[in-house]
Amino acid sequence: MITLIDFFRSGTSHRTRIALHLKGLSFEHRTVDLRSMQHKTKEFLAINPQGLVPALIVNGQILTQSVAILEWLEEAYPFPSLLPKDPLERAHVRALMGVAACDMHPLGNLRVLQSLKADHEQSDAQTAAFGKRWYVYGFEALEALCSRGPQGSWLWGDTPTLADACVIPQLYAGVARYHIPISDYPHLARSYANASSHPAFIAAHPDNQPDAV
Ligand SMILES: N[C@@H](CCC(=O)N[C@@H](CS)C(=O)NCC(=O)O)C(=O)O
């Protein structure tokens, strides 16, 4: 039995949903609404002491940190594989995951942007410009890295990998929140377009979640 605790608009929840759907796993959904600070309640902090979504409950064990969850999913459910067979290829896919998960996502996260406003007196416009800058750097880096890899329908070759699971939510946020023109990044645009018609990515999309309003 798998329970995902998430929020529709959260990029880390989005990447976890993509991987769960790509693996074809059925799971129960529980929402923690970040807008009403449900992630800071005693009840949720008992689940994740960091007060961050997502969390995955697997047979009573609580998993946190989305990349750890993705890696667990790949190990526990190897088929369909979301990593290439070759160790060097895997390292390339994990580098793309790292750009999205370590270098882009944290700098646009709610608590970071809230701290810029509350502790450093930044306006909404300054905060948005700050977030956008790191996303643009991320888009540029991802595009350059993908151009070195196997060309196909997805970021790294012809099947979706954990890189697509991590990167697509950041592309979505970059386009929707910061209006970054995805067409300037052909490799990213191709994977983004494929995701828009792929059942697992559609099922995982923020707009298609029960808590989306
Ligand atoms: N490294 C963590 C980051 C989790 C994270 O930052 N989640 C965001 C939503 S995308 C969150 O819960 N933010 C609440 C906040 O910033 O207060 C992971 O990958 O799971």
Side-chain angles (χ1 to χ4, degrees), residues 5-27:
I5 305 180
D6 74 342
F7 178 59
F8 75 106
R9 218 187 267 152
S10 138
T12 50
S13 302
H14 188 180
R15 72 173 71 128
T16 306
R17 290 193 300 266
I18 292 172
L20 283 163
H21 285 296
L22 283 171
K23 293 288 183 186
L25 297 170
S26 57
F27 59 96

Side-chain angles (χ1 to χ4, degrees), residues 10-13 15 34 39-40 50-54 64-67 101 105 109-112 114:
S10 138
T12 50
S13 302
R15 72 173 71 128
L34 301 188
H39 56 304
K40 300 296 180 203
Q50 278 195 290
L52 299 170
V53 290
T64 62
Q65 286 293 338
S66 59
V67 173
H105 171 271
N109 200 14
L110 184 62
R111 59 184 176 163
V112 171
Q114 280 175 342

